[in-house]
Each structure stands twice: as structure tokens, then as C-alpha cells.
Amino acid sequence: MEPFSDQFLEFHHIHGSNVRLDPSCTQATRVESFANGVCFSGKPLSPGEIFLVEVEEKELGWCGHLRIGLTSRDPSTLEVVPEYSLPDLVDLGDSWVFAITRNHNKVKEQAPGAGGEGAEEGGLAGGRVLGGGEGEGRVLGGGGEDNPSSNNKPKAFFTDSHLQINRFCIPMDKLVGRSRPGRFSHILDDLYKTNALPPTARRSRIGVLYVPRGQGLADMHIVINGEDMGASARGIPTNQQLYAVVDVFAATKTVRIVQVEYGFSSLQTLCRKIIQKHIVHRMALDWLELPERLKHFCKYE
């Protein structure tokens, strides 16, 4: 995979009126209401570059969750940031946004000639709902209660150190959410690894990227805790720059950008992998004779 010249990602200074960014511009919090939480990546994404966020804080009492996608609209050109990504931003055109719901489903691959690829390219003016939970849209196919047969597909997560989507490889280490250190961290971490928890649970990591497929078009992929949900939107034109869209909506209160290391892992990351491989759970780190900063890095990242 080709290296990215500037790997540090942050949120754009243009965002919804209810959003507050931290000084590093990597944490976005919706400070009131349930709407006006639309955020954008600070720069356009490169092909295969994932914009990855972690759900840091939830807010009870609201129905609906995080929304994520891509837009070819430069945030700086927006006179007013739309109140909602769905449907407001999508209705402006050139945007593909999906609601990440409690009962998420993989997008079902459609056979050619059955209203599949060609129909999607013509009909996807903006995203469709990725899952069918809590009244946020219809199920597109895949797993969940509406299609239990899909559960027969064996899961092969974490057999490799990288997630490969077409020719692009993304380090699995940063893609998967991790619980806060505690007595049951090792149990919860396994639930994140197998993507068994709701995708919008606290500490879940959700990312979006696009993969060119020739003729000036690309597919958009959404990745949830290291699992590629498939091509959720097809035929996205790549003749314009594409920005990530993150809508901190309703029950999702705060998200944080997770910086992904491409290419060779740092020495710190390699040390963490070896340490984690030889301990039962993260609380055991307290008894190891290690620098405190390294212990903290192993526990929380």
C-alpha cells in the first residue's frame, strides 16, 4: 500500500453548530440537543485511507446513532452546515452517508442484471441505511434478525495483522475497539474482536474509506471493529476530492479520531503487541516492571 504523505487526521474547522472540538481537533462532542452534529475530515481522503473514529461517550434518551460516509462537497464552500447528514446533506447531492444502527447488517451483494451494480450507480444520490434498527431505515440484507441465515458464514477476523480491502492493507491493531481496563477487560475485548457488541457501543471503532475500481469510480467501505461491511455505496465519482462525514447524532455524544499507522509499525506498537500477547488481561500490566508510559499505552490504546 502506498504511504500517505500526511497521516495525521483531524476534524474540519467547519462543523455543525452544536459541535465542540477539543484543542487537537481530534475529538468532537455534541454539546446540546440531538442534531447539528455534522463533522467533516480536515482534509480530503486519499484512496484507501481510512477515517477512523471511536465512540467515546453516549447520551441516553435519544433514538438513533452515529452516521458516517463521504461527500465530495468541500466543507469550506457550505454556506450553512446541514442540520442532519441524513437527509439534509444527502439531499444536496454528491454525498453518501449511512446510519450505523444497533442491528447493523452487511450490504448484500446483488447479482448483475438484478437491479444490482448499474442500478446502484444510477440511484445512489446519497447513502442508504446500513442497518434496520430503531426506525432508522430498511435492512439492505446481510445478518441480524431479518436474515438469520447469514450467521452461517464463518467469521475469520484477526487471522492476520492487517485488514485487506482490495489492494489496500490497514493495520488491524488500531481498527478494533477496546474496553476500559478492569476485571472483565479480557472478556469485553473478545466481544469487540468478534464484533459481537452493538456497533455503536462505547469504545467501538467505526471507519470509512473509498476504494477506486477504475473508470473514475470508487466503492465506499465502512469498517466496524475491524470487520469490513462490504461495498456500501458503489459508483462514487473520484474526479472530485472526497471528505469523510461523521454525524455525531442522537445517542452518540462524543467521538475521537484514531490515528492509523500505515507501513511498518513503530517500536512502541511492536512492544505493546508482544506484551499483550503474554498477559491474561490488561490489569496484569500493573504488576510488570515497565515504564508507566508504556503501561498506559498498553492499557488504553
Side-chain angles (χ1 to χ4, degrees):
M1 179 177 178
E2 59 269 23
F4 300 114
S5 57
D6 182 10
Q7 296 181 21
F8 187 80
L9 295 175
E10 57 187 8
F11 287 113
H12 204 284
H13 67 278
I14 301 295
H15 50 70
S17 58
N18 283 335
V19 170
R20 296 295 180 270
L21 301 181
D22 74 337
S24 70
C25 292
T26 61
Q27 184 188 68
T29 300
R30 195 188 68 257
V31 293
E32 59 182 67
S33 182
F34 63 93
N36 286 301
V38 178
C39 303
F40 306 94
S41 57
K43 67 179 184 66
L45 299 183
S46 301
E49 182 179 21
I50 189 169
F51 193 83
L52 183 67
V53 297
E54 179 178 290
V55 178
E56 283 205 327
E57 188 178 349
K58 304 291 291 293
E59 185 173 22
L60 299 177
W62 299 114
C63 180
H65 301 279
L66 182 78
R67 297 164 172 185
I68 197 167
L70 297 170
T71 183
S72 61
R73 292 181 172 271
D74 185 339
S76 300
T77 65
L78 294 173
E79 294 184 6
V80 178
V81 177
E83 184 176 8
Y84 306 100
S85 59
L86 284 171
D88 298 0
L89 179 63
V90 166
D91 285 347
L92 295 177
D94 301 322
S95 297
W96 300 263
V97 180
F98 289 73
I100 307 299
T101 64
R102 191 170 297 277
N103 298 311
H104 69 282
N105 298 273
K106 287 186 178 180
V107 174
K108 188 174 182 179
E109 296 290 343
Q110 294 180 319
E117 189 171 87
E120 283 189 324
E121 290 177 14
L124 265 177
R128 291 178 295 168
V129 177
L130 186 61
E134 303 175 350
E136 286 210 38
R138 60 188 180 89
V139 176
L140 294 180
E145 299 174 353
D146 298 78
N147 189 4
S149 63
S150 66
N151 295 330
N152 296 329
K153 184 178 179 181
K155 293 185 177 181
F157 312 140
F158 304 95
T159 56
D160 298 309
S161 61
H162 289 71
L163 172 67
Q164 183 164 354
I165 303 177
N166 288 20
R167 71 177 188 272
F168 299 103
C169 292
I170 308 170
M172 188 69 78
D173 183 55
K174 286 295 185 74
L175 294 180
V176 184
R178 306 182 71 225
S179 65
R180 297 189 182 279
R183 291 181 59 189
F184 303 105
S185 295
H186 58 299
I187 299 174
L188 289 172
D189 288 348
D190 285 342
L191 296 179
Y192 285 112
K193 289 179 181 179
T194 55
N195 212 0
L197 293 174
T200 54
R202 186 179 285 110
R203 310 291 284 181
S204 282
R205 294 184 175 183
I206 301 170
V208 63
L209 70 154
Y210 70 95
V211 178
R213 58 182 181 85
Q215 300 180 340
L217 300 175
D219 295 341
M220 182 179 80
H221 287 248
I222 292 174
V223 177
I224 301 176
N225 285 321
E227 182 182 359
D228 175 26
M229 306 310 294
S232 50
R234 296 184 182 275
I236 297 177
T238 58
N239 58 345
Q240 291 180 296
Q241 295 178 318
L242 293 170
Y243 293 80
V245 179
V246 177
D247 191 350
V248 188
F249 177 71
T252 302
K253 177 76 171 178
T254 302
V255 297
R256 174 180 62 89
I257 297 174
V258 179
Q259 307 296 335
V260 177
E261 296 178 349
Y262 297 93
F264 293 105
S265 299
S266 66
L267 179 59
Q268 191 178 38
T269 298
L270 292 174
C271 288
R272 180 182 62 188
K273 289 180 179 180
I274 295 298
I275 293 169
Q276 291 174 347
K277 183 179 179 180
H278 291 88
I279 59 175
V280 177
H281 59 84
R282 280 177 285 168
M283 297 307 292
L285 288 166
D286 292 332
W287 289 275
L288 298 180
E289 295 183 1
L290 296 172
E292 288 301 320
R293 290 185 64 183
L294 183 56
K295 287 183 183 180
H296 188 275
F297 182 66
C298 291
K299 283 183 180 181
Y300 290 94
E301 281 296 320

